[in-house]
Amino acid sequence: MVIELHVTVEKPPSLQDYLRNLVGVPKGLLHELRMSKEVKVNHEEPVWTHSLRKGDIISLPLFQEEVSPTPTNIDLSILYEDEHLLILNKDAGIDTHPASENDYHSLTNGVAYYFIQQSIHSKVRHIHRLDKETSGAILFAKHALSGAILDRELEARKIKRTYLALVEGLVETSQGTINKPIGKDRHHASRRRISPNGQIAITHFKVVKKFPKEKLTLVELNLDTGRTHQIRVHMSSLGHPLFGDTLYGAKSKHTRHSLHAWKLEVPQPFKQEGIFVTAPIPLNFGPPLLSLNIEKL
């Protein structure tokens, strides 16, 4: 498979600098492309160090790879798909990627099976991950080049993720920002904690609706960073752990913790347009009666 990129910038640099700095092709893949002799500019073999011109057409091969990890037939809920990426609606209770060598039932295993059925010769690349009990929109790349570009977009915060969380207690402030570093908890292998020596973590939140009778609050959240358990740790640090999240101090018990990746906005690789998807809120998100109410958002 070959994809074509149209040079739209004024006074573009050389081919190698254009692919590396403007498209986001990593060093290893750039070398592989160069050695393949299959890259063309205006259907001719290019001189990689010569400047491009606005309007040039760059043709890039997409190399076939061995599909991995082990494929498993799992029902997938597809929110969006094109030739470069796949956005799924993940159920709570399934890992994003295998939790161990002998785990063949993660979402990544299911995508590997789907790739084989669709004759997509590529290893599975999840661009971000969701905790096992977190549901909602999750992004996968279909080949190495789109994976590299999407990784770069995520790092540059151009991929926007919006979450919904049902938290214990009535949150007093209508909105706010939590800027507290997060590190590992040395007393609990799977737990994270606020730590002055941890990684920078920034979460923005706003109250969507309060449920005084149940003493719960529905909160919308956006992340500037993507630390492990970030929302769970940050909301717990405010005294409002997620409903059902006993690992971080919730008093309530539930089949899952109430966190849902609600919306996802992605700049489409190779095109000047964006993709926006909304993942329906599942009925097991919170208490049954509240979930029916929240589902109407």
Side-chain angles (χ1 to χ4, degrees), residues 119-175:
S119 299
I120 299 168
H121 301 282
S122 178
K123 73 176 185 179
V124 179
R125 294 173 170 86
H126 58 85
I127 303 305
H128 60 108
R129 63 180 292 275
L130 298 176
D131 292 341
K132 184 174 183 178
E133 299 305 330
T134 301
S135 55
I138 183 167
L139 174 63
F140 290 84
K142 281 190 169 183
H143 52 80
L145 186 53
S146 66
I149 293 170
L150 292 169
D151 281 341
R152 177 172 169 152
E153 300 287 8
L154 184 69
E155 187 177 351
R157 301 177 187 173
K158 292 181 180 179
I159 294 176
K160 306 296 183 184
R161 294 170 286 170
T162 302
Y163 293 80
L164 284 178
L166 192 64
V167 302
E168 292 188 344
L170 301 178
V171 180
E172 293 183 2
T173 54
S174 60
Q175 61 183 22

Side-chain angles (χ1 to χ4, degrees), residues 13-21 30 34 47-50 52:
S14 66
L15 175 61
Q16 63 183 15
D17 288 342
Y18 185 88
L19 293 177
R20 181 173 53 209
N21 299 325
L30 191 66
R34 190 164 184 166
V47 177
W48 283 71
T49 55
H50 284 190
L52 296 168

